Amino acid sequence: MTCRLLIAMSVLAVAAPETAQAARTTLNASEGVVTATLSYQEPTSVQGDQGGQGLTNMRLAITRSGQPFYEQPVDSHYCLDSCGLESFGGGPLEVKDLEGNGQPDVVLDLNTGGAHCCTVVQVFEFDPGVSAY
């Protein structure tokens, strides 16, 4: 009986596929009192070149003077399954004053992927009237 149990356990161990654990990556950008943090998971093994696609659980957090003001999942209706990160220019995540009003904005560059891919630029602007992005 012990021999049969050992053989059955060996067969199950070989037959069960190994699930790949996704690695968590974090990118930070800041200017003045504003800090943006982008976090996401990427597969540990990617079959073929997906050009940064296949990222999951993307979240953007924005703080001002260390206080949290925004934290939400990253989403765009232009990306079918998931967005990738655009890598040209200053990188996928930047904090800079776009309007010259002394309020740094957060800029997130995404890529829709595919043969006819497009860049999606999301700008998060602080509204001092309601203290929110």
Side-chain angles (χ1 to χ4, degrees), residues 1-64:
M1 189 66 104
T2 305
C3 184
R4 288 184 191 161
L5 181 58
L6 181 60
I7 292 171
M9 288 176 66
S10 297
V11 171
L12 288 174
V14 171
E18 206 174 292
T19 56
Q21 295 293 321
R24 192 93 184 142
T25 302
T26 302
L27 301 175
N28 293 301
S30 62
E31 179 179 302
V33 299
V34 178
T35 299
T37 302
L38 175 68
S39 62
Y40 55 91
Q41 290 178 303
E42 54 187 323
T44 55
S45 62
V46 177
Q47 304 227 348
D49 181 17
Q50 296 189 18
Q53 298 304 113
L55 304 178
T56 58
N57 298 321
M58 281 200 286
R59 293 190 70 80
L60 178 65
I62 304 172
T63 62
R64 295 177 63 85

Side-chain angles (χ1 to χ4, degrees), residues 38-122:
L38 175 68
S39 62
Y40 55 91
Q41 290 178 303
E42 54 187 323
T44 55
S45 62
V46 177
Q47 304 227 348
D49 181 17
Q50 296 189 18
Q53 298 304 113
L55 304 178
T56 58
N57 298 321
M58 281 200 286
R59 293 190 70 80
L60 178 65
I62 304 172
T63 62
R64 295 177 63 85
S65 300
Q67 299 296 314
F69 273 82
Y70 180 91
E71 186 173 351
Q72 295 291 323
V74 173
D75 190 27
S76 172
H77 65 273
Y78 295 108
C79 301
L80 298 177
D81 294 329
S82 68
C83 286
L85 299 177
E86 192 59 76
S87 59
F88 71 90
L93 182 65
E94 295 180 272
V95 178
K96 55 186 172 183
D97 185 358
L98 297 175
E99 296 94 3
N101 62 2
Q103 296 288 340
D105 305 297
V106 175
V107 181
L108 179 61
D109 295 333
L110 303 172
N111 188 292
T112 62
H116 303 285
C117 66
C118 300
T119 299
V120 177
V121 178
Q122 295 183 343

